[in-house]
Amino acid sequence: MFIATGSINNQSDQIADSDRKRKTSVEMSKRQRADIESISGLEPEERATELPPTYVVMKVVPDIHEKALQWLATKIRAKKSDGGGELVAILQPKTNAEEEYTFHISATKIKLLEIAEDIDLVKPDPRGRPREFTVASLDDFLIDGTTIDDLLTIADRQTIVLHELENIRALEYEKFIPGYPLFKLHENQSIVPLAHNKQLITKIYPLHDDEELKKLAGSWYMPRWFKQPIGDIKEYFGESIALYFAFLEYYTLALVVPSVLGLFGYIFTETVPFFCIFNVIWVTLFLEVWKRKSNELAFKWGTIGMTSLDEPRPGFRGFMGVDAVTGKVCPQSPRFMTYVKMYAVSLPIVIICMILAFYLMLISFWAEDYMKELFSPEDYLVMIPSIVYSILVTVISAYFKDFASFLTEWENHRTQSQFERHRVTKLVLFEFVNNFLSLFYIAFVIQDIDMLRSQLQTMLLISQAINNFQEVFMPLGMNYYSTKKSQSLKQQKTSHKTNPEVEQEKAAAGSFPLLNIPQLQPDDPRIKQVEAEGAMEEYQDTFDDYLELYIQFGYVFLFSSVYPIAALWALLNNVLEIRADAFKMCQLFRRPFIRKVKDIGAWQRSFEVLGGLSILTNCGVLYLSADIRKRFPSYSDVELLIAFMCIEQLLLGTRYLIHIVISDKPEWVRVALARKSYESKQALKFERSQKNKKILFRYRTVQ
């Protein structure tokens, strides 16, 4: 009887305790909101009338249906319970009916802090260590006179606003986009990515911070040899772009020694075998040391703990369900369906593309043989098939990149890291055949070392020339052309109209019934900035940049015994590449959204595979070369083969030994991670002990 009564009392106490916690949480939330509002320094009337700064710009097609536009604007500002984003939307005034609708999206300080906690934003704590931000511990992050305005950078705020835009969801009764019955919706589907995909939304981009950009540009692409302000790049452009430039810097520095030795090898050919052995060991050392550096940066930036169970990417499709790890409602899809699509459809298609690339290579060789029959081998016309093939390789690579992205999107991977990893895998398989198989064919089937050297030189130099043209001069020209075109169109539209007609069109453009949405003043400086940056080219991601380095890496190290000076050309190209990429990021492209990464993903494994293959290819080419046979005339073919097989196994063993000896993480990172794990366990134990004390105090009279 006592036990039953105690059990009932215990349940009642638990319910009462739960109610008290809920009330306390609400009161704390109110107090925190009041504290935050008081810190902002604005009176309630000012907060209601002031137009906040623009963090994200969203452009909508001018001929969008009235209901769709009103619905989209309402969704942006609606409460979470209504599927909205609880954001601030400001409309930019239109000058004519053909101009796009431009929304300036912002958020209140309270909203920014709330979402910063939801997305596990990492900020340095008082001891300088990366730590997940929480509103409850807000005072811990306001150190050294830091205010709320300083706590969240412009990049942080843009990331938060984008996160909320991508999480605007359709409700159960919303079956399609209003005005577009064919654009179907399902419950809890992300609305903004769908509208963007259906081309109702044309652009979504953050704005540059001119003051910060000038500071960054002055210390970045001005002549400073190899050194870059990686920390400043991370703060402005995010972890993904900063990690790419850190890898480019590390790789360029690693090319210095092979370039010097390659120059000696090019002049003194008898040193080529020693240079080749050094190269394959040097590549392994570079990749292992870079892995340590990558983990060190990931720990400093707070991304080292990212896993495949992170939040689903916006393009992930599936039924809505409760996540088994986080308990949040998010899209769910069976993993086996993705595997079926990958191995039953995507893989065969990629293999077919690889076969077609192989036949294209054979056609170029047949054309070159035909040219040799018409002209002497020393004639420059004989090189035309190789030059044409090198150009085709670059063009086909660009088209296959889009095709690989389409296949990977169709496979429906859950997280962004999984999506990137499988897209890179497809592209690496194809690019290996498209760029390197011709070199393997010449080396081990035709066995013509002079032809191999000529082909390698042609493909390396042409690929670098095309890439530099595409990355610098083409965006510069497109940016200039789009700016001039937009200016001329505006002049033509206004020059053929009288003043009453212009005023009437402006009034008609602004008469669209968007309820309760404030508008910018026509002379607001943000309008000019939005239009200027909207005309810039969009920077997609670091995918093309890594691909360029991957192809260059293969040209330099796979057949370094044949063309030792390739490392020097790569070094000179990368010195220019660092400055050119920095210039285009600061001057030619719109500001990209931040994307968090912990490493370079599948590219690390891709570079490691090329490093391992370089041992096999260089040993094989040295075995087949006539110079080796002249140096060892007393050795038979079998004896030379056995000797080079032994050298190959020795180098592979050395590579594996280096992999084991060099740890992936520096000692101080391992200690810091262990300390963090220990402190988390201690905090959990303390929380449990406090609960145990309350329970024991409640039953202290029970014997």
Side-chain angles (χ1 to χ4, degrees), residues 93-105:
K94 296 178 61 174
T95 57
N96 59 76
E98 297 178 2
E99 185 179 340
E100 296 173 313
Y101 291 95
T102 303
F103 288 93
H104 293 240
I105 312 297

Side-chain angles (χ1 to χ4, degrees), residues 493-511:
K493 289 175 182 176
T494 55
S495 61
H496 296 293
K497 297 174 184 176
T498 63
N499 288 333
E501 289 177 337
V502 173
E503 294 299 327
Q504 185 179 0
E505 186 169 333
K506 286 184 178 180
S511 64

Side-chain angles (χ1 to χ4, degrees), residues 9 16 187 293 333 473 505 533 558 602 630:
N9 292 336
E187 185 180 2
K293 180 66 176 179
S333 179
F473 299 105
E505 186 169 333
E533 294 185 17
L558 281 178
K630 292 178 181 178

Side-chain angles (χ1 to χ4, degrees), residues 226 251-266 275 278-279 282-283 456-457 460-461 464 552-575:
F226 305 124
Y251 171 49
T252 305
L253 285 171
L255 284 173
V256 172
V257 177
S259 298
V260 175
L261 296 180
L263 187 60
F264 277 103
Y266 186 75
F275 165 71
F278 168 81
N279 245 14
W282 186 255
V283 167
L456 177 58
Q457 179 181 2
L460 173 63
L461 297 180
Q464 289 185 349
Q552 181 198 91
F553 187 89
Y555 286 149
V556 171
F557 292 105
L558 281 178
F559 298 95
S560 57
S561 57
V562 176
Y563 191 55
I565 204 173
L568 179 61
W569 297 127
L571 174 64
L572 297 176
N573 176 82
N574 289 358
V575 171

Side-chain angles (χ1 to χ4, degrees), residues 118-344:
D118 288 345
I119 65 175
D120 299 327
L121 187 69
V122 175
K123 305 299 289 185
D125 63 9
R127 288 178 287 183
R129 297 187 304 182
R131 175 178 154 193
E132 292 178 356
F133 171 80
T134 59
V135 176
S137 57
L138 177 61
D139 292 337
D140 294 342
F141 296 92
L142 300 178
I143 55 177
D144 298 332
T146 303
T147 64
I148 290 182
D149 292 329
D150 303 326
L151 178 62
L152 298 178
T153 64
I154 297 297
D156 291 335
R157 301 179 189 203
Q158 292 168 343
T159 302
I160 291 170
V161 171
L162 177 65
H163 178 272
E164 289 304 282
L165 281 175
E166 291 177 342
N167 280 277
I168 296 175
R169 303 286 179 176
L171 299 178
E172 183 180 2
Y173 64 85
E174 295 172 324
K175 302 300 182 183
F176 57 86
I177 296 179
Y180 299 93
L182 297 180
F183 295 168
K184 301 296 183 182
L185 293 170
H186 58 75
E187 185 180 2
N188 281 313
Q189 182 176 5
S190 183
I191 290 172
V192 172
L194 175 65
H196 200 180
N197 185 49
K198 298 298 183 180
Q199 298 182 350
L200 297 179
I201 298 175
T202 58
K203 297 174 184 176
I204 301 177
Y205 58 94
L207 292 179
H208 277 294
D209 185 340
D210 292 336
E211 184 177 347
E212 292 296 324
L213 188 62
K214 287 179 182 178
K215 292 180 182 177
L216 176 61
S219 62
W220 191 5
Y221 60 76
M222 301 304 286
R224 286 183 54 181
W225 295 99
F226 305 124
K227 194 64 177 175
Q228 302 176 90
I230 300 298
D232 295 337
I233 298 171
K234 177 260 175 184
E235 289 297 324
Y236 192 87
F237 288 108
E239 289 81 359
S240 177
I241 292 176
L243 198 62
Y244 160 72
F245 280 101
F247 178 77
L248 176 58
E249 177 183 307
Y250 230 66
Y251 171 49
T252 305
L253 285 171
L255 284 173
V256 172
V257 177
S259 298
V260 175
L261 296 180
L263 187 60
F264 277 103
Y266 186 75
I267 299 172
F268 309 103
T269 55
E270 62 272 8
T271 63
V272 168
F274 305 101
F275 165 71
C276 174
I277 294 174
F278 168 81
N279 245 14
V280 295
I281 296 176
W282 186 255
V283 167
T284 305
L285 281 171
F286 155 66
L287 292 174
E288 293 299 327
V289 173
W290 162 251
K291 200 182 298 183
R292 287 171 60 90
K293 180 66 176 179
S294 175
N295 283 318
E296 178 182 332
L297 293 174
F299 177 79
K300 290 180 179 178
W301 298 343
T303 59
I304 198 168
M306 291 178 63
T307 67
S308 60
L309 298 176
D310 289 335
E311 187 173 335
R313 63 188 183 90
F316 181 60
R317 306 175 301 279
F319 61 91
M320 301 305 295
V322 178
D323 187 79
V325 177
T326 63
K328 297 180 180 179
V329 177
C330 59
Q332 306 289 327
S333 179
R335 184 65 180 160
F336 76 90
M337 288 299 298
T338 299
Y339 285 125
V340 169
K341 293 178 179 179
M342 284 169 52
Y343 296 111

Side-chain angles (χ1 to χ4, degrees), residues 88-117:
V88 178
I90 310 169
L91 190 62
Q92 179 175 306
K94 296 178 61 174
T95 57
N96 59 76
E98 297 178 2
E99 185 179 340
E100 296 173 313
Y101 291 95
T102 303
F103 288 93
H104 293 240
I105 312 297
S106 186
T108 63
K109 294 179 182 179
I110 297 174
K111 188 64 180 177
L112 290 171
L113 293 174
E114 288 177 352
I115 304 306
E117 180 174 348

